Amino acid sequence: MLIDEAQSQGVSPALVLAIAKVESDFNPKALSHMGALGVMQIMPATAKQGFNVASHELYDAKVNIRIGVTFIKQLIEQYNGKIDIALSHYNGGSAVRRPNGSLNIIPATQGYVSKVQQFAQQYRQQGYDQAIANLPLADKLMANNSRQPMF
């Protein structure tokens, strides 16, 4: 489901797999101490406000994965392909933008961002991104992401 949803939305399957690995270890029944739910560890407020999905629906793996992939895709686009900033926001909220408008990784999310990037690299080496290399979003991300290549 993770790979299929990533491919259908034009997002790196390796990145999506890495997020799911770090967030929940692929557990659809995961519940974090902060209240995030499911495979992609979606906060109920994010699900409701951003996707009009009730919290009880987040234990449906298909719904959870769709929201998680859509959310990371939105963040990647919002931050012009800066995967590290998108991951920091995904995990720690919108405090990635400083009052002066500059972007930074939230210090509390640095370990998370590094882990996801490491797993994404492993999944890329295993070939999970080959099928989407020609999609339009992939081109945009590769062109805009000078800090950490998506592929």
Side-chain angles (χ1 to χ4, degrees):
M1 280 191 283
L2 289 159
I3 294 166
D4 288 346
E5 189 63 37
Q7 289 176 328
S8 74
Q9 292 198 43
V11 177
S12 162
L15 179 64
V16 170
L17 287 166
I19 292 169
K21 171 67 177 163
V22 174
E23 288 285 356
S24 72
D25 200 21
F26 306 108
N27 180 357
K29 301 295 181 194
L31 170 64
S32 79
H33 67 281
M34 296 296 290
L37 304 170
V39 176
M40 300 294 284
Q41 289 291 277
I42 307 298
M43 292 296 287
T46 300
K48 187 66 176 166
Q49 294 166 6
F51 303 94
N52 200 29
V53 171
S55 61
H56 71 274
E57 295 178 80
L58 293 174
Y59 284 120
D60 178 331
K62 189 169 184 106
V63 170
N64 189 286
I65 291 165
R66 179 181 42 82
I67 291 172
V69 173
T70 302
F71 188 42
I72 194 63
K73 179 180 180 177
Q74 290 171 350
L75 294 173
I76 291 167
E77 290 172 345
Q78 178 179 337
Y79 297 119
N80 297 314
K82 293 183 172 117
I83 304 298
D84 56 350
I85 300 298
L87 288 170
S88 184
H89 183 149
Y90 187 96
N91 184 252
S94 62
V96 296
R97 188 170 304 278
R98 294 181 178 152
N100 69 4
S102 67
L103 299 171
N104 70 308
I105 295 173
I106 301 165
T109 68
Q110 184 62 57
Y112 168 84
V113 170
S114 294
K115 272 190 204 178
V116 171
Q117 289 175 326
Q118 288 170 1
F119 277 109
Q121 180 61 31
Q122 288 176 15
Y123 292 132
R124 276 192 292 281
Q125 289 172 348
Q126 293 171 16
Y128 285 103
D129 281 350
Q130 291 173 353
I132 70 156
N134 295 321
L135 294 176
L137 181 60
D139 293 337
K140 178 181 176 185
L141 294 176
M142 289 190 309
N144 290 327
N145 192 8
S146 59
R147 294 172 129 201
Q148 184 68 282
M150 178 92 169
F151 301 94

